[in-house]
Amino acid sequence: SEDKSSEHKDKKHEVITSAVIQQGGMPTSMQSAPARCEFRGGVEAYCEAASALLSQPNGLFVVCENWLNDDRVWKGAHEAGLEIECVWPVMGRAGKKDPLFAVYVMKKMFNCRSGELSDDKTTRAGRIRPPLVVRMENGKWTDEYAKVMKAMSIPVV
């Protein structure tokens, strides 16, 4: 297939969304495979591409990524000149130790910073929202998740 990324390099966008979550085994669908595995680069490559295409000062990059890659997201964002505004972890079920993935909202950095990535856990913690829990321990949707589904016009069963 032909690479058409250069067609859009001069166009700037207000919002860019992506999902680079990697979970489970090798996907069998050619259509969903790039969304589930790093066939087109990891989150770092997505941050770099988004940074080049975001409008300033209000452009946002919103990406979903496997929670196991949280450190990679922070580092990739910084290296691409993006600042993470907030992180919304998503728990598959109440009572689980760790989230499955998180939604990261980023914007372009305006102030030049030192080349070092701050590992200030207090700063990170201040940007992490309480997790969205999808299912209660009994397997039913949580009220919070039902609100998200309704907001997306998806029927709640």
Side-chain angles (χ1 to χ4, degrees):
S1 79
E2 182 182 342
D3 181 9
K4 298 183 180 189
S5 60
S6 62
E7 292 178 19
H8 303 285
K9 69 180 179 181
D10 294 328
K11 185 175 180 181
K12 299 299 180 187
H13 302 273
E14 290 291 317
V15 178
I16 298 172
T17 63
S18 181
V20 289
I21 298 170
Q22 308 148 42
Q23 294 178 340
M26 185 61 69
T28 57
S29 168
M30 292 296 290
Q31 185 175 6
S32 67
R36 294 178 54 205
C37 294
E38 291 186 346
F39 294 130
R40 297 182 180 155
V43 68
E44 302 86 354
Y46 281 70
C47 288
E48 186 178 327
S51 182
L53 296 172
L54 278 177
S55 62
Q56 295 184 4
N58 298 318
L60 294 176
F61 175 44
V62 182
V63 64
C64 299
E65 178 58 82
N66 185 323
W67 186 252
L68 296 174
N69 294 329
D70 182 62
D71 286 337
R72 286 179 58 196
V73 176
W74 287 88
K75 185 176 184 212
H78 180 81
E79 289 175 355
L82 297 170
E83 182 172 8
I84 296 176
E85 290 287 297
C86 73
V87 179
W88 196 6
V90 178
M91 306 286 290
R93 186 181 294 265
K96 293 285 186 179
K97 180 183 171 201
D98 293 314
L100 287 173
F101 66 94
V103 178
Y104 297 83
V105 179
M106 308 176 199
K107 69 175 186 175
K108 294 275 272 191
M109 283 193 246
F110 285 104
N111 299 329
C112 293
R113 298 180 178 189
S114 70
E116 296 181 22
L117 175 62
S118 170
D119 197 22
D120 181 357
K121 298 294 183 187
T122 305
T123 300
R124 278 194 192 191
R127 296 181 185 178
I128 299 175
R129 296 177 63 167
L132 168 66
V133 180
V134 175
R135 293 184 183 274
M136 296 179 283
E137 290 181 353
N138 66 7
K140 295 188 180 204
W141 302 121
T142 62
D143 290 340
E144 185 179 22
Y145 187 69
K147 288 178 188 176
V148 171
M149 299 288 280
K150 286 179 185 174
M152 295 188 306
S153 300
I154 298 173
V156 177
V157 183

